[in-house]
Amino acid sequence: MTNHEILLQASNLRKNYHRGGGAFAQSSERDQFKAVDDVSFQITAGETFAIVGESGCGKTTLARMLLRLVEPDGGKIIFQGRELTALSSAEMRAERRQLQMVFQDPYASLNPRMRVSEIVAEPLAIHEPKLSSIERRERTSAMLRRVGLNEESAARYPHEFSGGQRQRIGIARALILRPKLVVADEPVSALDVSVGAQMLVLLQELQQEFGLTYLLISHSLPVVAQVATRIAVMRAGKFVELGEAEQVLSHPQHVYTKELLAAVPELPAASA
Ligand SMILES: Nc1ncnc2c1ncn2[C@@H]1O[C@H](COP(=O)(O)OP(=O)(O)O)[C@@H](O)[C@H]1O
Ligand SMILES: [Mg+2]
């Protein structure tokens, strides 16, 4: 699958937020903290690039910057040769059909008032308005079947489903436009371990089938170890280590990576 084509290149990405500070806080340099601090990396077509790090280290901010759902304070993003950071918001919206996100909380990310068929078909309605309603329905039910949901799911509402099924709905919605890159931000952290493991298997099958490239974000090293081809270890807004998954898991270089590994005895590398 991997053909060594660079799909996305992020250079020197930065995002600062105000520290604490209510409505009357004065804005000055020292009131800012660096949520993402000079992060650079490339994602190659076909790979699963994983970012692992503890809660609050800046993973979600970084992920959302790649889609410009959060505006970077500095740095550059080039996706398929286009500089995303230079696009107008209309151009960026058009580009998002190639760049989709799967969210952590499968319930909060689905509109409770929409039927599953509408949720999954909505991106088609936006990006392919000329599609006939029959075609739209066919593509929607094919995608629902593919993620393991039956025919009757289409007419139901998100609250009628389990967490794992809701995440399948979110995945169907993210994939309906056949994106190139899928950014999955903690896709299994709201799920039981066994349900989460199944979800990761499904994501891997879909990757093969649709030729997808993944950016997978997780605070969990076992999750990352299950699917990553390369791993970046993030701490306090920075990447402290980046390498081939096997290398990072079996020969960690940074002391922080060693600490993360030591905390998960079930991973074979932990004893190293
Ligand atoms: N919109 C925001 N305004 C202010 N601070 C934020 C905002 N979003 C995130 N933060 C802070 O930035 C840091 C990184 O957050 P986040 O990117 O969500 O980390 P992670 O996904 O790794 O848990 C945290 O300290 C968080 O509280
Ligand atoms: Mg997060």
Side-chain angles (χ1 to χ4, degrees):
M1 179 64 63
T2 310
N3 58 13
H4 304 294
E5 172 207 345
I6 292 170
L7 195 57
L8 181 138
Q9 180 155 18
S11 313
N12 309 107
L13 287 179
R14 297 174 179 281
K15 185 70 190 180
N16 296 332
Y17 286 126
H18 289 284
R19 194 189 302 281
F24 299 103
Q26 295 289 313
S27 176
S28 75
E29 279 280 304
R30 69 189 168 82
D31 293 327
Q32 306 255 311
F33 78 96
K34 296 169 176 172
V36 174
D37 185 8
D38 198 19
V39 169
S40 302
F41 60 95
Q42 296 178 343
I43 300 176
T44 303
E47 76 168 328
T48 298
F49 182 81
I51 301 175
V52 67
E54 64 197 30
S55 179
C57 74
K59 304 182 298 299
T60 294
T61 303
L62 178 56
R64 295 179 71 89
M65 279 200 288
L66 297 181
L67 284 82
R68 282 185 60 200
L69 298 169
V70 164
E71 282 301 323
D73 289 329
K76 198 153 104 173
I77 301 157
I78 296 173
F79 175 67
Q80 297 192 115
R82 296 194 84 187
E83 188 180 340
L84 297 187
T85 30
L87 299 183
S88 70
S89 45
E91 289 170 325
M92 188 61 222
R93 268 196 300 280
E95 201 69 21
R96 278 202 197 105
R97 65 169 304 160
Q98 306 277 349
L99 240 174
Q100 290 283 311
M101 199 149 175
V102 171
F103 296 93
Q104 167 168 13
D105 182 340
Y107 198 52
S109 60
L110 303 175
N111 186 334
R113 289 190 182 77
M114 282 166 75
R115 293 177 194 278
V116 167
S117 57
E118 297 169 308
I119 290 170
V120 174
E122 189 178 45
L124 283 178
I126 295 168
H127 290 276
E128 295 183 32
K130 293 203 181 91
L131 218 58
S132 74
S133 56
I134 292 170
E135 274 178 296
R136 194 147 62 206
R137 212 160 35 232
E138 277 171 1
R139 278 178 59 176
T140 302
S141 50
M143 186 55 80
L144 283 172
R145 270 197 307 276
R146 185 57 198 89
V147 301
L149 293 167
N150 60 26
E151 213 61 50
E152 296 83 66
S153 323
R156 289 158 62 193
Y157 292 89
H159 74 263
E160 301 177 60
F161 295 86
S162 70
Q165 289 171 325
R166 290 198 287 248
Q167 194 56 294
R168 286 170 197 264
I169 299 166
I171 291 168
R173 179 182 160 95
L175 298 191
I176 192 86
L177 293 170
R178 300 296 180 86
K180 285 275 177 8
L181 178 65
V182 175
V183 176
D185 186 7
E186 304 272 13
V188 302
S189 63
L191 308 174
D192 291 345
V193 172
S194 64
V195 176
Q198 287 168 25
M199 204 64 60
L200 293 175
V201 169
L202 173 65
L203 285 169
Q204 284 179 303
E205 289 169 2
L206 295 167
Q207 179 172 42
Q208 291 300 317
E209 200 170 322
F210 298 138
L212 302 169
T213 304
Y214 288 146
L215 172 61
L216 176 93
I217 290 177
S218 179
H219 69 280
S220 161
L221 210 45
V223 163
V224 161
Q226 191 182 327
V227 294
T229 50
R230 286 194 304 145
I231 298 176
V233 180
M234 191 169 186
R235 186 187 201 188
K238 286 182 181 294
F239 282 0
V240 296
E241 181 158 357
L242 194 168
E244 296 295 322
E246 236 183 73
Q247 189 68 24
V248 171
L249 294 170
S250 58
H251 301 287
Q253 299 301 302
H254 197 279
V255 62
Y256 180 66
T257 312
K258 292 178 186 172
E259 281 172 26
L260 287 180
L261 278 162
V264 227
E266 67 268 32
L267 284 180
S271 56

